[in-house]
């Protein structure tokens, strides 16, 4: 209810969003990025193999951690050690992560994907890596359906 995020663990590649890459065994509040609307709250999170994504009540998407395959959707392959705002075409209502990729569900029902795609796991019709969120063509969910990803 508070919209705060807490993390602990290995923190390899900065996935916990704490601004560093050191392991932490203590439950630690994750700092919110600047600027962050004080009325907005983080409502969900998803943990991938070495990256994390969070969605806010206002439909904003943030990501941190390993970005070697573009799983953060930020348009590059640089790791992020703090939560970083991901530019989206529309408000995001749900996110799910795999080991090196991410799936985001837009308010309209469109699905956006990014990251590793060697086996076609992004569903975009090819096997090319995506470093920015890419809309899955000709696919839309309705009636509050959600998306899930496998970790393989």
């Amino acid at each position: 209810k508070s919209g705060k995020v807490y993390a602990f663990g290995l923190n390899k590649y900065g996935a916990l969003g704490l601004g560093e890459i050191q392991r932490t065994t203590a439950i630690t509040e994750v700092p919110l990025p600047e600027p962050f609307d004080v009325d907005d709250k983080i409502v969900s999170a998803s943990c991938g193999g070495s990256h994390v994504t969070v969605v806010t009540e206002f439909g904003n998407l943030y990501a941190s951690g390993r970005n070697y395959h573009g799983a953060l959707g930020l348009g590059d392959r640089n790791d992020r050690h703090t939560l970083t705002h991901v530019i989206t075409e529309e408000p995001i209502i749900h996110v799910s992560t795999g080991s090196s990729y991410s799936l985001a569900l837009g308010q309209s029902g469109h699905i956006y994907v990014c990251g590793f795609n060697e086996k076609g796991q992004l569903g975009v019709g090819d096997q090319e890596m995506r470093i920015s969120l890419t809309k899955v063509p000709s696919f839309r969910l309705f009636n509050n359906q959600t998306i899930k990803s496998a970790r393989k």
Side-chain angles (χ1 to χ4, degrees):
K1 289 186 177 187
S2 72
K4 295 180 179 179
V5 175
Y6 297 88
F8 60 94
L10 182 61
N11 201 26
K12 195 170 184 180
Y13 308 107
L16 300 180
L18 299 173
E20 55 189 31
I21 56 172
Q22 295 176 355
R23 175 190 308 240
T24 179
T25 57
I27 297 173
T28 306
E29 185 175 343
V30 177
L32 298 177
E34 296 290 336
F36 193 87
D37 187 333
V38 294
D39 294 325
D40 204 1
K41 291 182 173 46
I42 294 174
V43 294
S44 67
S46 183
C47 302
S50 297
H51 71 291
V52 170
T53 55
V54 300
V55 175
T56 72
E57 189 172 55
F58 295 168
N60 292 306
L61 178 62
Y62 294 87
S64 65
R66 188 169 193 211
N67 198 29
Y68 181 76
H69 293 105
L72 304 183
L74 296 167
D76 61 45
R77 295 174 59 189
N78 302 320
D79 295 347
R80 298 301 198 287
H81 302 154
T82 59
L83 289 175
T84 303
H85 186 246
V86 181
I87 303 300
T88 60
E89 287 185 28
E90 63 177 301
I92 300 301
I93 60 172
H94 183 75
V95 68
S96 184
T97 54
S99 62
S100 296
Y101 61 95
S102 300
L103 314 170
L105 177 59
Q107 192 172 41
S108 69
H110 287 105
I111 295 177
Y112 300 87
V113 297
C114 59
F116 190 66
N117 193 33
E118 186 175 77
K119 304 206 184 312
Q121 60 266 52
L122 298 182
V124 292
D126 60 37
Q127 295 176 316
E128 300 293 319
M129 176 174 54
R130 299 294 196 284
I131 61 172
S132 297
L133 282 179
T134 302
K135 188 186 295 185
V136 176
S138 305
F139 191 83
R140 198 164 165 201
L141 294 176
F142 298 96
N143 300 325
N144 297 321
Q145 293 175 311
T146 61
I147 53 175
K148 298 287 182 189
S149 65
R151 294 259 192 260
K152 300 207 179 211

